[in-house]
Amino acid sequence: PAPNAETPPAAPAAAAARPAPSASQRASYLQAREAKLKACRFNLSALPAGKRVHDTSRTIKKPTPAWAGFWPALREFMQNTIDHLDLAPRGRLNPALSLRVERPAGQRGTLASIAFRCGDEPVCAIEVEEDELRILQHYTFPLHPRALETGVPDAGKGGDATAGGFGDGFKTAAAALLGQPACRSISWTFETAEGRTVRWDFVGAERAAVGNFRASRVLEVAVHVAADAAPAGAASSAGGAAYVMRQRVRVGGIGRAFLAEAAPRLQVFWSLPDAVLLGNGRQGDFLADAAAAPPIFDGSSASPSSASASSSSSST
């Protein structure tokens, strides 16, 4: 519940601070990331070089109330990253990881820089600007265009109702953002250790009226596959961190919306010792007094809302 004059929030116990990741935790996490990367591999040579446009069966229009604003789309994009990199198992920051958040001084346009690391290894970096959000995630093999099909089964999920892979949510999120006048572009770029580059551009395509169907815009994804820069069959000895995915979302106001709407809601950004939890569900849900949790920006920004902080792992 929100704090009030009668029941002021209790200060977190210093002894309950989050312990530093151990060497075994870090090693186990990196081993799991390498295994996930291997499981997601496919022969990139099967993708023809050049540009190919894919339909997504999504119409771009004024978002429904459930998809209005920035939060629903930010939730979907971030949940994919959180799930793929296992940043928050059981709804808490992975014990193998450290989180660093900075508010760069004197760097025009930059609101925040957020970095998840496993020891010295980079895992994920988020750059927040006024009108642009960039998410860099390592240990990520290029997605096959089959991910653009509606309802495609994903072996990375634990079941049809669980998160764990790239499902339908990101396509609906892209269509919702493209339906906003302030949206300039959405793109994903994949880079491999062997020198391959694949870029996805999410775009709106016009469809003319026909019969009883009105003219409309639909979501298409232009997949650009660069020519192979490495000899056929060449392999890289680089680790999984060299396989990266760069998400770039350019929409007016999305940066401040990320800090005001997404960061307070996503459990991965919270630093909550067990002593302050009011409830901790088996599926990763928890309930806590937001005022008792330290702000993620070390006091340099407004702390999360004083309303109760609760969240759940959603399927994307």
Side-chain angles (χ1 to χ4, degrees), residues 119-140:
D120 294 330
E121 287 291 320
V123 174
C124 180
I126 303 172
E127 295 292 325
V128 186
E129 297 185 1
E130 289 276 359
D131 303 323
E132 185 171 324
L133 179 69
R134 296 187 298 276
I135 304 173
L136 168 64
Q137 59 184 73
H138 297 265
Y139 298 93
T140 305

Side-chain angles (χ1 to χ4, degrees), residues 207-269:
R207 292 288 189 269
V210 56
N212 290 330
F213 298 102
R214 298 176 180 175
S216 63
R217 293 175 70 216
V218 298
L219 173 65
E220 293 183 343
V221 179
V223 177
H224 305 260
V225 180
D228 198 343
S236 172
S237 59
Y243 293 83
V244 300
M245 174 185 181
R246 304 177 188 273
Q247 302 181 56
R248 187 184 186 195
V249 183
R250 302 172 67 211
V251 187
I254 197 168
R256 292 202 178 276
F258 179 87
L259 298 182
E261 301 176 37
R265 284 182 167 104
L266 295 170
Q267 295 169 216
V268 71
F269 295 119

Side-chain angles (χ1 to χ4, degrees), residues 11-214:
R18 184 176 184 268
S22 67
S24 61
Q25 287 173 324
R26 294 195 300 267
S28 177
Y29 176 83
L30 293 177
Q31 184 178 19
R33 301 282 63 73
E34 295 285 357
K36 179 69 176 286
L37 181 69
K38 182 178 180 180
C40 293
R41 283 180 178 271
F42 64 93
N43 184 6
L44 283 175
S45 298
L47 300 181
K51 173 183 174 181
R52 183 176 179 184
V53 177
H54 298 261
D55 188 14
T56 65
S57 301
R58 297 293 197 284
T59 300
I60 298 172
K61 52 189 175 182
K62 182 180 179 180
T64 63
W67 285 94
F70 292 113
W71 161 240
L74 289 172
R75 176 193 63 216
E76 296 299 327
F77 288 145
M78 281 300 302
Q79 195 67 59
N80 278 335
T81 296
I82 292 169
D83 291 341
H84 187 78
L85 296 177
D86 199 23
L87 298 182
R90 296 171 297 281
R92 309 289 293 278
L93 177 64
N94 195 305
L97 302 179
S98 62
L99 169 62
R100 182 178 180 85
V101 182
E102 297 179 345
R103 300 292 296 272
Q107 190 170 336
R108 183 170 181 173
T110 301
L111 301 178
S113 297
I114 304 170
F116 295 88
R117 299 184 69 87
C118 183
D120 294 330
E121 287 291 320
V123 174
C124 180
I126 303 172
E127 295 292 325
V128 186
E129 297 185 1
E130 289 276 359
D131 303 323
E132 185 171 324
L133 179 69
R134 296 187 298 276
I135 304 173
L136 168 64
Q137 59 184 73
H138 297 265
Y139 298 93
T140 305
F141 199 77
L143 283 180
H144 194 281
R146 278 205 64 200
L148 295 170
E149 298 173 3
T150 297
V152 61
D154 184 351
K157 294 179 179 287
D160 291 340
T162 62
F166 290 82
D168 279 349
F170 77 87
K171 289 162 278 190
T172 306
L177 286 180
L178 287 170
Q180 300 190 28
C183 184
R184 292 191 287 170
S185 65
I186 304 171
S187 65
W188 291 358
T189 302
F190 302 89
E191 300 168 2
T192 74
E194 296 81 16
R196 297 297 301 270
T197 300
V198 179
R199 189 180 82 246
W200 289 17
D201 292 332
F202 296 79
V203 298
E206 303 294 333
R207 292 288 189 269
V210 56
N212 290 330
F213 298 102
R214 298 176 180 175

